[in-house]
């Protein structure tokens, strides 16, 4: 049986493959996957389990992948280093969490006023994004693939009403990546708090506010139990991407068939995870709208305007700091600007027309 034909057929199959139809093989490769998230976290956390299970099943057990949640094997934000040094073979997490190691990571997760999920996938697959990611990460011993995005995220949760730029001055606010740099510029104190520590930090008052993901994961984390105001949209986390980073030596040790399976599983998971979040976020927002005492609103214009100006400053500084980032930004924002122009003609008018249609 042609293995590549099997792979194409398998990509369209249901998530759970019938075990009797797959010839089991003794594992030639046994990998550890370390995720920065609780592996049972609905959505992004469960995505890592599905990715690992599908690859294990498609390979007939030739490649077996065990998943370890945040903090089980290595610290939540130490997963990338663990893969680089060979402690694990794969990490699963947001590139923005590794921005402190190199800012280029953030562009493949979210960047200020950047790409939506459909734009991000198009840039990665057809606009040169994957090639730039390989150029950046292969020399560091990593082979990285996208694993999907949560789409436009919530701007943040607060204990008080936010009416203007003045109201956020001096607040201790959880945010990562480029968003942290921008928020610092407009008067906040940004803190890169790991996911599992956000709720207790809000509850204790260590944080005055936080951004995490969107309605679905925010609801699951219980922010509405300790915060009274939720604002949208995030200017910084628009794709909200998750990635799978593979140790390059482990990657190179695989057969071409196994490499193709991983690439196919990653592309399928990027679509599956992104699709999941649209439905889950819509349903969760309905539930949040019913929470007594919770106010849901949009960020004041002066905050978005200040964030836009600060984002341009940050991007100029970043572009000047590194030749590769300069080329990366030209590619990324060039694609986003073209997509934005296209959508102004097609999708923005449609969105307004649909709003009128549904009343």
């Amino acid at each position: 049986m042609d293995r590549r034909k099997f792979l194409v057929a398998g990509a369209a199959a249901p998530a759970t493959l019938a075990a009797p139809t797959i010839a089991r093989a003794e594992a030639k490769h046994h990998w550890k996957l370390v995720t920065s998230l609780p592996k049972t976290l609905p959505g992004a956390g469960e995505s890592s389990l599905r990715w690992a299970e599908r690859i294990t099943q498609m390979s007939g057990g030739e490649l077996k992948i065990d998943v370890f949640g945040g903090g089980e094997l290595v610290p939540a934000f130490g997963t990338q280093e663990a893969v680089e040094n060979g402690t694990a073979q794969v990490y699963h997490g947001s590139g923005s969490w590794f921005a402190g190691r190199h800012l280029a990571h953030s562009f493949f997760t979210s960047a200020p006023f950047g790409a939506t999920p459909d734009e991000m996938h198009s840039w990665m697959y057809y606009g040169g994004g994957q090639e730039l990611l390989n150029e950046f990460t292969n020399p560091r011993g990593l082979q990285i693939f996208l694993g999907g995005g949560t789409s436009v995220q919530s701007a943040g949760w607060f204990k008080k009403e936010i009416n203007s730029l003045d109201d956020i001055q001096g607040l201790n606010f959880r945010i990562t990546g480029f968003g942290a740099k921008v928020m610092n510029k407009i008067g906040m104190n940004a803190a890169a708090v790991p996911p599992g520590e956000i709720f207790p930090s809000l509850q204790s008052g260590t944080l005055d506010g936080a951004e995490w993901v969107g309605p679905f994961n925010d609801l699951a984390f219980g922010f509405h139990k300790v915060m009274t105001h939720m604002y949208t949209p995030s200017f910084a986390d628009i794709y909200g991407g998750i990635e799978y980073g593979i140790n390059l030596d482990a990657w190179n040790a695989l057969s071409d068939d196994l490499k193709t399976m991983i690439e196919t599983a990653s592309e399928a998971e990027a679509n599956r995870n992104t699709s999941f979040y649209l439905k889950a976020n819509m349903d969760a927002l309905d539930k949040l709208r019913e929470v007594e005492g919770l106010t849901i609103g949009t960020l004041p214009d002066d905050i978005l305007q200040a964030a836009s100006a600060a984002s341009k400053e940050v991007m100029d500084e970043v572009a000047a700091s590194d030749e590769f980032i300069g080329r990366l930004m030209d590619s990324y924002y060039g694609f986003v600007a073209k997509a934005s122009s296209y959508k102004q003609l097609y999708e923005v008018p449609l969105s307004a027309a649909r709003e009128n249609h549904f009343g």
Side-chain angles (χ1 to χ4, degrees), residues 2 53 76 89 109 150 154 178 188 205 216 283 304 306 308 315:
D2 186 302
E53 180 183 4
Q89 287 73 39
T109 303
T150 58
S154 303
F178 286 124
M188 279 185 153
F216 179 68
D283 292 345
L304 287 173
S308 175
M315 293 298 100

Side-chain angles (χ1 to χ4, degrees), residues 74-125:
V74 298
F77 282 179
T79 54
Q80 188 179 79
E81 290 176 273
V83 170
E84 289 176 354
N85 65 32
T87 300
Q89 287 73 39
V90 193
Y91 74 80
H92 169 255
S94 169
S96 65
W97 301 340
F98 313 121
R101 305 189 72 214
H102 199 297
L103 275 174
H105 280 295
S106 290
F107 286 99
F108 300 98
T109 303
S110 281
F113 301 93
T116 58
D118 60 329
E119 295 164 358
M120 186 68 177
H121 293 167
S122 184
W123 175 64
M124 287 295 293
Y125 301 144

Side-chain angles (χ1 to χ4, degrees), residues 51-211:
W51 185 84
E53 180 183 4
R54 281 182 160 181
I55 292 169
T56 298
Q57 290 186 343
M58 283 195 295
S59 71
E62 185 177 346
L63 170 56
K64 187 175 187 302
I65 304 175
D66 296 327
V67 179
F68 297 85
E72 286 186 35
L73 190 63
V74 298
F77 282 179
T79 54
Q80 188 179 79
E81 290 176 273
V83 170
E84 289 176 354
N85 65 32
T87 300
Q89 287 73 39
V90 193
Y91 74 80
H92 169 255
S94 169
S96 65
W97 301 340
F98 313 121
R101 305 189 72 214
H102 199 297
L103 275 174
H105 280 295
S106 290
F107 286 99
F108 300 98
T109 303
S110 281
F113 301 93
T116 58
D118 60 329
E119 295 164 358
M120 186 68 177
H121 293 167
S122 184
W123 175 64
M124 287 295 293
Y125 301 144
Y126 299 106
Q130 184 66 53
E131 290 77 11
L132 285 163
L133 180 57
N134 292 345
E135 179 184 346
F136 164 50
T137 58
N138 286 175
R140 299 176 57 196
L142 296 170
Q143 178 62 53
I144 297 178
F145 299 108
L146 291 187
T150 58
S151 195
V152 183
Q153 299 185 4
S154 303
W157 291 74
F158 298 87
K159 295 178 180 178
K160 67 174 187 176
E161 188 173 5
I162 304 298
N163 293 310
S164 69
L165 185 62
D166 289 341
D167 292 331
I168 66 171
Q169 299 305 300
L171 296 185
N172 295 319
F173 187 72
R174 187 272 178 190
I175 189 169
T176 60
F178 286 124
K181 290 182 173 293
V182 173
M183 287 305 200
N184 281 333
K185 275 187 177 290
I186 66 174
M188 279 185 153
N189 299 319
V193 176
E197 298 176 20
I198 302 175
F199 183 87
S201 296
L202 291 172
Q203 191 174 38
S204 69
T206 303
L207 289 175
D208 300 305
E211 60 78 45

Side-chain angles (χ1 to χ4, degrees), residues 156-162 202 208-209 222-231 288 291-297:
W157 291 74
F158 298 87
K159 295 178 180 178
K160 67 174 187 176
E161 188 173 5
I162 304 298
L202 291 172
D208 300 305
F223 293 165
H224 59 289
K225 297 177 182 178
V226 292
M227 311 302 278
T228 56
H229 293 77
M230 183 189 87
Y231 289 93
L288 288 171
V291 174
E292 186 176 353
L294 175 64
T295 300
I296 299 174

